[in-house]
Amino acid sequence: MTVTNELWRHQDPQSTQMWKFLEHVNSKYGLQLNDYPSLYKWSVDNVAAFWEEAWHFTGIRNSKLFDEVLPENAPMFPRPDFFAGARLNFAENLLFPGNADVNGSDVAVITATENDEHLTETTWDELREQVRQCSNALRAAGVKENSVVAGFVANHVQALVALLSAATLGAIWTGISPDNGVSAVLDRLVQIKPKVLFSDNATLYNGKEWSGKSKTLEVVEELQKHGLELVVVVKGLKNFETGLDEIRAKGVKAEEYDEFLHSSPKEEPLIFAQLPPSHPLYVLYSSGTTGLPKAIVHTAAGTLLQHKKELFIHSNLSSRSRMLYYTTTSWMMHHWSVSSLSCGASLVLYSGSPFRPHGHLSLPRLLSSLKVTHFGTSAAYLTTLEANNVRPIDPEHNLDLSSLEAIYSTAAPLPPSTFAFVYTAFPSIINLASITGGTDIISLFGAPCPLLPVRAGEVQCAGLGMAISVIDSASDASNPLPVDPVGSEGDLVCLKPFPCQPLTFFGPGGDDKYKAAYFERFGTSMWHHGDFVRMDPSTGALVMLGRSDGVLKPAGVRFGSAEIYNVLTRFFASEVEDAVCVGRRREFDRDETVCLFVVMVPGKQFSSEVRDRIKNVIKRELSPRHVPGVVEECGPAGIPKTGNGKKIEVAVKQILSGLKVKTNASVANPEALEWFRSWAKAVEEPLPN
């Protein structure tokens, strides 16, 4: 790697929290660490000591300190018990952040939408009061530790209050964005049986107002069979009805959000349940290629400490910072950005299209007017600005982006050209960080770093304490081998325990599902993440090459092929006999294209009409983001499968993406793979939608 690829260095690295943490470690342990690589090496060589120092340095608020950080020689699986003996509350750490100078009258949260006139500021004192009211109202409704509270809500302060209120009580929060269809919502929520559901009455997106009532009624009708007792409707758009009476007719209680909060007695204080570090906090959903989405349970202390490490140390957030991450409530980046409060930073919650109401300048105008310091988005958003040659910093736009310190890009690899473009489109002093991690760890493996340069096409570094490595994808499970030569492409793994490992998967057989998801491919000694990567042996930087499994990530939206298959089974069983759904991202593609290939039932014909119906039903039942860009009929050999009938999705994905096929499975019908090779060669551009 040459310096010509270097785009940025911090102007004053010794002023950052990362440098202060390095000096702290040097002072306490008598070391002479002098750069990030040496600090990183110490952190992964001394896992327990590192996480202990991170706990204290980031200011984790607790009512009882841990007895030990990590058992000696703790394995990766079963999940070790980090910080045994401690007692704390996640919500308390966000509402009363340690190591932060927060004034109660300062703004904590700004809620923004496409409507410029609907900007709502919430102070720290107001946020605490709303959580007091909501948590006590939930307690009165029967919510307690380990109850499940769900949000079918957009990214606004009411959703944040509901999340923090659930955490205050020790209940489990799960969030699903309102753009999801009923099938997608029920595939997730039926599994975890929420006691309470928060739901929006309507949403504003892409210049249109959409009623949420009909979807909420369908969801409630099913969930009341699985323990749902109360629905709280957030009246985000005043000219749409709440549907409270119709919800009550389904056999559950229903209240409007403001009235629900006001039902809390004024004399009831805000009481934070003091809980073990491994107490469940969130449920997020995997995008596995078989069955329903798997419900991943994340812990309170693991999530909190990992997020504070990444936000406070890696990202340098403080009470002077303001974070806007463009995300829905379904995405793990919502949970990550919410934790900015734990650093004393203020939070901008935005709901709507990133291109409304001012076209490509919509979000940059918010960054300017709200003086955002840290902006997070998807790679697809930044490549769209590049494709349209939109440079917010140009004088004719009259925007003040002088407060901006960092831009974070995730959900897909950021092309090298876009790295260079961003430094011409935004202030050149920003730390542009392509970051990578996932729902599985609710955080990052590859993180920003103020002590390292930014180079085009690279993730700056592995996060502190995350002992990652790259394994030869063709390795046998019983003998996983590092890539040879070093720096070659392979599978991303983690070799040592980390506190944000999931607790389990929700429901019966959760531990077995957990093991199968991360510890089956290469055994229980290493976490297999499912990313295809290359690591620079000299700098430690990562180059992300896509998924090594069948997970789909068009425009950064992650879901599993099983969701598509479920729709086909439900609505097209009489026409479609079989199917394979994979993502295609060739070297020259800016984004991944979802490709669906179907095998028709004998006697049924594939046609453009069938294609359109499949797309329309997927859009209706799941979301517009699930709709395949390609829907075609398979060749005569059908779907490539193993001898035991398992679809070989990864091989099809690699073929379509121009990669070399690596699979140890015995292909029962190799001629099917040959058909896909021929199809990939014949199709240079995506077929018409």
Side-chain angles (χ1 to χ4, degrees):
M1 194 65 64
T2 63
V3 293
T4 56
N5 292 40
E6 188 174 305
L7 298 170
W8 173 87
R9 281 183 183 267
H10 198 285
Q11 294 176 319
D12 185 13
Q14 294 186 356
S15 68
T16 65
Q17 293 297 339
M18 178 74 79
W19 184 261
K20 293 174 184 176
F21 181 69
L22 180 149
E23 290 185 316
H24 167 75
V25 171
N26 279 340
S27 175
K28 181 168 181 178
Y29 293 92
L31 302 174
Q32 294 182 325
L33 310 176
N34 60 3
D35 56 14
Y36 185 79
S38 61
L39 178 61
Y40 171 76
K41 186 176 187 304
W42 175 83
S43 76
V44 297
D45 288 346
N46 303 273
V47 172
F50 164 71
W51 288 111
E52 179 174 3
E53 297 309 323
W55 175 289
H56 294 300
F57 188 81
T58 61
I60 301 298
R61 186 181 293 273
N62 58 93
S63 59
K64 182 179 183 297
L65 193 60
F66 47 83
D67 298 322
E68 66 172 349
V69 176
L70 186 67
E72 190 173 354
N73 300 318
M76 288 287 291
F77 184 88
R79 180 191 186 275
D81 187 19
F82 274 85
F83 308 109
R87 291 295 182 271
L88 74 160
N89 185 277
F90 179 86
E92 183 178 14
N93 275 271
L94 270 62
L95 291 170
F96 296 90
N99 283 9
D101 182 18
V102 170
N103 188 310
S105 61
D106 290 343
V107 173
V109 181
I110 300 173
T111 301
T113 71
E114 295 175 12
N115 188 336
D116 288 341
E117 298 178 359
H118 286 184
L119 201 70
T120 304
E121 293 186 346
T122 306
T123 67
W124 286 93
D125 283 343
E126 289 169 340
L127 182 62
R128 293 162 181 165
E129 172 59 14
Q130 289 172 29
V131 172
R132 183 197 70 80
Q133 292 177 327
C134 188
S135 61
N136 286 329
L138 285 172
R139 184 184 290 110
V143 174
K144 53 189 178 181
E145 291 180 19
N146 296 308
S147 296
V148 176
V149 178
F152 186 29
V153 286
N155 190 22
H156 44 56
V157 70
Q158 295 92 336
L160 174 63
V161 168
L163 180 159
L164 292 173
S165 298
T168 294
L169 301 176
I172 304 168
W173 171 262
T174 191
I176 299 179
S177 174
D179 63 345
N180 282 277
V182 172
S183 293
V185 176
L186 292 177
D187 281 351
R188 290 156 174 78
L189 294 189
V190 166
Q191 296 184 63
I192 66 172
K193 301 176 174 57
K195 187 183 189 75
V196 178
L197 176 70
F198 286 81
S199 182
D200 288 335
N201 74 320
T203 55
L204 172 64
Y205 190 84
N206 203 27
K208 296 181 180 180
E209 296 180 338
W210 306 85
S211 172
K213 188 178 75 169
S214 62
K215 286 202 289 188
T216 296
L217 289 173
E218 286 190 65
V219 168
V220 170
E221 184 168 10
E222 183 61 30
L223 289 183
Q224 62 87 20
K225 304 172 188 175
H226 302 275
L228 182 68
E229 297 179 6
L230 170 65
V231 178
V232 180
V233 179
V234 178
K235 196 168 185 179
L237 295 179
K238 304 302 181 186
N239 56 325
F240 282 79
E241 58 182 325
T242 57
L244 294 178
D245 290 338
E246 290 156 285
I247 294 171
R248 292 170 184 140
K250 301 291 183 184
V252 301
K253 298 177 182 177
E255 294 191 45
E256 195 272 325
Y257 174 84
D258 289 334
E259 295 177 358
F260 181 66
L261 263 62
H262 293 153
S263 69
S264 171
K266 292 183 179 180
E267 65 275 9
E268 290 288 337
L270 174 57
I271 301 174
F272 297 106
Q274 297 301 304
L275 305 163
S278 59
H279 188 81
L281 171 70
Y282 292 138
V283 169
L284 282 76
Y285 302 92
S286 76
S287 34
T289 57
T290 58
L292 295 171
K294 296 176 180 63
I296 307 171
V297 182
H298 287 291
T299 66
T303 300
L304 175 65
L305 180 56
Q306 177 76 336
H307 285 182
K308 288 207 74 169
K309 179 204 77 176
E310 293 168 349
L311 293 164
F312 185 66
I313 300 178
H314 278 273
S315 304
N316 211 42
L317 259 69
S318 71
S319 58
R320 298 180 301 277
S321 304
R322 176 162 288 169
M323 167 74 81
L324 189 164
Y325 215 109
Y326 180 73
T327 176
T328 70
T329 52
S330 297
W331 195 16
M332 64 137 286
M333 297 314 302
H334 170 74
H335 308 75
W336 190 80
S337 61
V338 160
S339 292
S340 300
L341 294 172
S342 71
C343 302
S346 57
L347 190 60
V348 180
L349 302 175
Y350 179 80
S351 175
S353 166
F355 305 117
R356 289 280 185 161
H358 306 290
H360 294 105
L361 291 175
S362 298
L363 288 182
R365 284 176 62 138
L366 270 183
L367 303 181
S368 172
S369 64
L370 301 181
K371 300 188 182 305
V372 170
T373 60
H374 294 71
F375 171 48
T377 185
S378 65
Y381 174 80
L382 295 174
T383 58
T384 298
L385 295 187
E386 180 187 16
N388 289 275
N389 197 29
V390 176
R391 291 175 166 81
I393 200 173
D394 284 352
E396 64 264 27
H397 300 314
N398 197 30
L399 300 180
D400 179 8
L401 298 175
S402 59
S403 297
L404 198 60
E405 299 173 13
I407 295 180
Y408 301 138
S409 169
T410 190
L414 190 66
S417 67
T418 311
F419 270 86
F421 166 78
V422 168
Y423 278 100
T424 69
F426 293 90
S428 60
I429 63 166
I430 62 165
N431 182 179
L432 171 62
S434 181
I435 57 180
T436 185
T439 299
D440 316 84
I441 62 170
I442 202 170
S443 60
L444 310 178
F445 276 126
C449 182
L451 306 187
L452 292 172
V454 171
R455 293 190 171 96
E458 293 184 346
V459 177
Q460 281 182 282
C461 64
L464 292 174
M466 308 300 277
I468 66 172
S469 185
V470 184
I471 297 296
D472 186 339
S473 300
S475 291
D476 189 85
S478 62
N479 185 32
L481 300 172
V483 290
D484 185 19
V486 175
S488 301
E489 302 168 352
D491 270 85
L492 176 67
V493 299
C494 192
L495 304 176
K496 294 186 178 180
F498 50 94
C500 59
Q501 288 177 232
L503 178 65
T504 185
F505 283 13
F506 199 97
D511 288 346
D512 291 338
K513 294 175 184 176
Y514 176 32
K515 181 180 180 182
Y518 310 114
F519 299 103
E520 189 174 82
R521 176 66 182 87
F522 295 122
T524 57
S525 64
M526 61 180 67
W527 170 286
H528 176 231
H529 197 57
D531 279 334
F532 203 52
V533 304
R534 184 169 61 243
M535 182 185 292
D536 189 307
S538 59
T539 68
L542 298 169
V543 176
M544 307 306 297
L545 303 171
R547 295 290 296 176
S548 61
D549 56 19
V551 172
L552 300 152
K553 289 183 71 175
V557 179
R558 189 175 176 201
F559 60 92
S561 55
E563 295 191 60
I564 304 296
Y565 300 149
N566 291 344
V567 170
L568 293 178
T569 300
R570 182 178 174 189
F571 295 98
F572 295 92
S574 64
E575 298 174 87
V576 175
E577 184 177 74
D578 204 353
V580 63
C581 187
V582 300
R584 178 188 67 184
R585 183 167 183 159
R586 298 160 296 188
E587 186 175 350
F588 53 84
D589 288 331
R590 288 187 175 274
D591 195 10
E592 181 175 280
T593 299
V594 177
C595 299
L596 174 64
F597 296 89
V598 299
V599 176
M600 301 301 291
V601 169
K604 299 290 184 179
Q605 298 294 317
F606 183 78
S607 65
S608 59
E609 187 270 337
V610 171
R611 177 189 293 121
D612 291 343
R613 279 196 291 116
I614 289 174
K615 289 187 173 186
N616 288 335
V617 172
I618 290 172
K619 179 179 180 180
R620 183 190 74 214
E621 292 297 317
L622 299 176
S623 81
R625 294 166 181 165
H626 287 74
V627 177
V630 171
V631 179
E632 285 298 312
E633 185 176 17
C634 275
I639 308 298
K641 294 184 178 180
T642 63
N644 61 9
K646 185 176 181 179
K647 297 175 187 178
I648 311 177
E649 292 180 337
V650 173
V652 174
K653 174 179 179 174
Q654 290 177 334
I655 288 170
L656 299 190
S657 300
L659 297 175
K660 182 180 178 182
V661 173
K662 288 187 176 182
T663 177
N664 292 328
S666 175
V667 183
N669 53 341
E671 64 275 17
L673 286 178
E674 289 303 320
W675 182 88
F676 280 99
R677 288 192 180 94
S678 300
W679 186 91
K681 289 179 181 178
V683 181
E684 294 298 325
E685 299 295 335
L687 294 178
N689 289 343

